[in-house]
Each structure stands twice: as C-alpha cells, then as structure tokens.
Amino acid sequence: MDALLETIYNQAISTYNNKEYKRSLLQFRQVIELANGHPDIQSKAYLYLARILSDSDLKMMFSCLDQSIRMYPNIYEDIVQWSHMIAKEGNNKLSKSINKYLKDKRKELSLVAIDGNNSSTETKECTAIFKSSQAWYSLLKRKWIIWFVGTFIAILFSIGGWSGYSYLSNRYHTSSSININQIKDNVGQVFFVVKLYLPNDLGEVTLPISVGSAFAMSNDGYMITSKHIIEAYDKMKQEEGVLGSDICLCFGPKPTDRYIAKIVHECPYSDVALLKIQKHFSSPLKKTVSMPEYGMEVYACGYPSAALEVSMSLDVKTVADKYSDEIKKYRAKGEADFFSIYPESGYAVSISKGIVSSIKNIDGIQWLQTDASIGPGYSGGPLVSSDAIVIGINTLKHAESDNANMAISIFDKIEKELNPWIK
C-alpha cells in the first residue's frame, strides 16, 4: 500500500469511528479509486460503505456487499461477523436480511452451509475450503505468468541486450507517489473565527467555522483561495449578533498551527483571491509552466469537513446551535478554545485522485474539468499534478459545467493576475 492510499484509508477509518458518516463515505470512495491492485483494501472499503448505507439504502448496501465479495471473497467471514454484531445490537430484521443474502452468496462461492446462529467454526471451515481451491488456481496462474514474463524478457535481452531492459523501464515506469508532507505543509483550512452574541444561555461566544481551503505558492505567506469565500466572509460580518470576526488559516489541531489572515487581493473577473499570513513556507507549491493536458493525472487537495450549512447559507447561528452542546461541555471544563468542537480528523487534509477530462474556456477563463472529487470544503484548495505542481484552483461548480468537478487553470491569465505577489 503506497503512502497516499494508506493516509486516506486511515483517515476514512478514523472518520467512520468518529461517526462522521457522510465524510467517511466520500473518503472510502476515494480509497476504492486509489486501491487498484489492492483488492483486499477495495473489498474492506466496500464493506465500510455497506455499513454506512445500512441505515438508509438497503439496495445500495447489498450492491456494496456484492462488490466487496467480488473483489476479495475471503471478506465473507467479516460480513458474517458484522451480521452477528447487528443482531447483538438488537437489529434482528437487518441481521436476518444479511443472513439470507449470505446464504445465497455461499451457493455462488460453493461454500458449505452456514447457519446464521452457528458458531464461527463452520465459517472458518468454509473459508478454508475456498482458500484451498483459490490457492491451486493462484499457483497455476502464477506459473503461467512467470513463464510468460521470463520468456518475454529473454527475447528482449536477446534482441537488444540492455536496451530491452531500458524499454521496459521507460514504458512501465510510474511516477512516484505525491509528496503528502508537502501538501500538508502548504494547504491550510480556512476558518471564520466569529465573535457573536446568542440570545440564549450561551451568551457571548467566539466560534470557529470551517469554510474551505487555501494554499501557499510563495515563501513569504501569500495564500491563494477562492473569492467566493471572501464574499461569504463579508456577508457574514453583516449578520445580526456578530460582534467581530477574523479569517484564520489552520494547518493542524494545535493553537500554534493557526494564523490570522489578511485579505490582499480579489480577482475582479474570476473566483480567485489572495490572503497573507505571518508564516514562512520552506518548500511552497510550485506553479505549472504549461497548459495541462487531457488525461493528465491530478490530485484535488482540501478539507471536505467544511460545514456544508455554512457553504450554502452562512447562517452562523445555525452553526452555533449545531455545536451548542459541545460549547457547553468545554465551558464546563473551563476551556475556551472552541476549535476543539471539530474532531482531530477534521484537521487532516484530504487528497482525491483523478484526471483532467476536459478543458473549457468560459467567460475568457480556462476551466479544468476533472473526475477527482471536489466538494464544498475543497474550494480554494489546489489541483496538483503527481509531482505536486499546481495546475488549478478548486472551486464551486460553474453554472455551465454540467455538474462536473471544476478547477480554474492557474496558467496564463490567472498567473499574470497574481504575479505582483507570487513570482
């Protein structure tokens, strides 16, 4: 498992354990996309999706279970154990439905009968039988593969000596995994830190509200983000009960990871803005020097934990009501740092892999369409190449984008717009 896949997989499990099911749903989908060549990981991700969907969409749940078993049949026993756990929690109806599904599946897998109420002994016996048959097939297949590859390489060497090896190296070389630490160091989460008075027992509260992402492309603290975030901030300041506010860039859960930001520039013709914080970046992200190409592998980076209700309406009182119980709990402990209302997993940057599927010119701006997942929290974050070169700025879906995930190309026009601050 490569570093990127492992990071997102661990994030997804942590988010699931924190009962942030909507966010973990997106993360496990990312895991499935990234885990080509790891059927066991894909299978586990599908099982997690089934668990998440079991309360809302049984049809999709069983579809995920089908995919899980298809990817890695030995996951069967994990599904049996999950069914037993559901029964212990009192949801007998769901447990019976899963047991019926499992009985049908074991016929497809040529497994001996397993009753839902039996001990796991029969389950292990069935798994052993299945593994045994799979092992013989796998061994036979492996012998043919070894023979074929060995013969092919021998022919290449006999024809061109070391040139055969060079051909293989160049043709099938894959780019190194994206530098996750560089992404973590340079992509920050944007918060509105709002001081407001609430007409209830909370009174005066200073509340952090997660709204999007920003990223560094210079050593001296200039951060690129989306202009609609700045516009939302201006709107929020006018709300009733708001006593004061700041924009804060956050790179982790600790107070030392936070920086107050100043608005430097808002692009007059596109959804791009520039912030400035007092932080030195030793290895900022670099900008592309050429126009991206169709089919190019890209990664969308950002913070999908951003409060969706803020992105849609920016009703700070709604957000305050949502977290009122947590605020009361921290006040009772004598703590005043309400950034803790967000789980630690919410401070981890997420990375979604995809390709550039289209390049469009809309209102004189180059837009990049990608199949990488770009949710509201990704707005203002970078779209980067596999070498962590910035090619675009993630943004909200454009009215003419047919509901596709879009980013604004940072090449040419936007690059010139930001050139006075970012060389």
Side-chain angles (χ1 to χ4, degrees), residues 384-400:
V384 303
S385 68
S386 57
D387 298 321
I389 303 297
V390 178
I391 65 168
I393 305 165
N394 305 326
T395 188
L396 291 177
K397 294 171 180 177
H398 194 279
E400 298 181 30

Side-chain angles (χ1 to χ4, degrees), residues 42-96:
Q42 288 180 314
S43 178
K44 291 176 182 177
Y46 274 117
L47 180 52
Y48 272 107
L49 290 180
R51 289 176 175 178
I52 295 168
L53 294 165
S54 63
D55 289 333
S56 59
D57 192 333
L58 292 183
K59 184 177 179 181
M60 284 299 298
M61 180 198 76
F62 285 121
S63 176
C64 288
L65 290 178
D66 279 339
Q67 292 288 354
S68 182
I69 292 175
R70 182 181 66 81
M71 299 300 301
Y72 190 68
N74 292 334
I75 200 75
Y76 186 93
E77 185 175 356
D78 291 347
I79 301 174
V80 172
Q81 292 173 357
W82 176 46
S83 177
H84 290 169
M85 182 184 71
I86 292 171
K88 288 180 181 179
E89 292 173 351
N91 194 342
N92 293 321
K93 184 177 179 180
L94 178 59
S95 179
K96 287 179 180 178

